[in-house]
Amino acid sequence: MTNALSLLQQRHSVPARQLGEPAPDDATLHALLEAAIRVPDHGKLVPFRLILLRDEAKLAFGERVTAIGMRNNPAMTGAKLEKERHRYTFAPLVVAVVARIDADSKVPEIEQKLCTGNVAYNILLGAFALGYGAQWLTGWAAYDREVAALLGLAANEHVVGFIHLGTPQVEVPDRDRPGLDDLLSTWTP
């Protein structure tokens, strides 16, 4: 079995709450992100971009997202409010993966989104290969236009996911996976 196949068979997410320092250093992060953007890209549109959230900026982002959430949902109190307030504080680095949809392109929107999703997955896979932990999260903030404005997104852009990166602080067991036999069929005419 090749190392690449073994890597695919072992990759799993590490919950953001269980990620701590260190995050990849700048050189490692640059190499990881350069590799992550090597995705199938019909029409060479590059329908994605990345936004890093770290240190104090990450904390400020979380506070502003919480404020937006409270305005949009005044009933958000207690544990839900605290969850929102701390969502971006656990992992030392968060990468917002952003889809940039070109509505005038011959390339269908779904293919542009899938291309962006591949970037997000490559970050997860690359982080695991490098010995880091990562989790792809969305939540309401990924779909909120006020949060999009906070990130400086254009009207044709939206968050596909927030990738939380860091070093696992505990051993995380793999979850149960579906069996291939339950998912695979062969089409015949």
Side-chain angles (χ1 to χ4, degrees):
M1 186 174 311
T2 68
N3 287 340
L5 190 53
S6 177
L7 179 72
L8 288 171
Q9 291 173 326
Q10 294 176 45
R11 194 221 64 84
H12 62 276
S13 295
V14 177
R17 288 180 175 270
Q18 297 173 348
L19 294 171
E21 294 288 353
D25 61 39
D26 287 342
T28 303
L29 179 62
H30 189 267
L32 170 60
L33 297 179
E34 273 193 332
I37 63 173
R38 294 180 59 92
V39 293
D41 182 3
H42 183 186
K44 301 177 189 170
L45 297 178
V46 191
F48 51 82
R49 69 186 180 101
L50 307 169
I51 302 171
L52 301 180
L53 303 170
R54 8 173 153 190
D55 304 322
E56 294 303 316
K58 179 184 67 159
L59 301 176
F61 177 75
E63 285 294 328
R64 291 179 185 176
V65 167
T66 301
I68 292 168
M70 288 171 46
R71 276 198 311 276
N72 293 343
N73 182 7
M76 184 179 9
T77 59
K80 286 185 178 184
L81 181 60
E82 285 307 303
K83 181 179 179 181
E84 289 306 321
R85 180 167 280 118
H86 298 290
R87 182 180 300 271
Y88 304 95
T89 63
F90 301 107
L93 175 65
V94 179
V95 181
V97 180
V98 176
R100 299 186 308 181
I101 304 303
D102 181 349
D104 296 327
S105 173
K106 67 177 178 141
V107 177
E109 182 177 328
I110 185 72
E111 291 186 29
Q112 296 178 56
K113 288 181 179 178
L114 289 169
C115 177
T116 306
N118 282 324
V119 171
Y121 182 68
N122 276 355
I123 295 171
L124 293 179
L125 190 59
F128 182 76
L130 292 169
Y132 294 97
Q135 187 177 31
W136 178 345
L137 295 174
T138 52
W140 68 269
Y143 309 105
D144 186 271
R145 287 317 299 172
E146 278 186 83
V147 174
L150 178 62
L151 287 167
L153 304 189
N156 68 321
E157 295 181 318
H158 65 273
V159 173
V160 167
F162 295 100
I163 310 297
H164 298 247
L165 287 164
T167 298
Q169 302 299 297
V170 298
E171 180 96 11
V172 177
D174 199 8
R175 66 175 174 83
D176 289 337
R177 303 291 174 164
L180 180 60
D181 290 343
D182 297 332
L183 304 171
L184 181 64
S185 63
T186 301
W187 182 84
T188 56

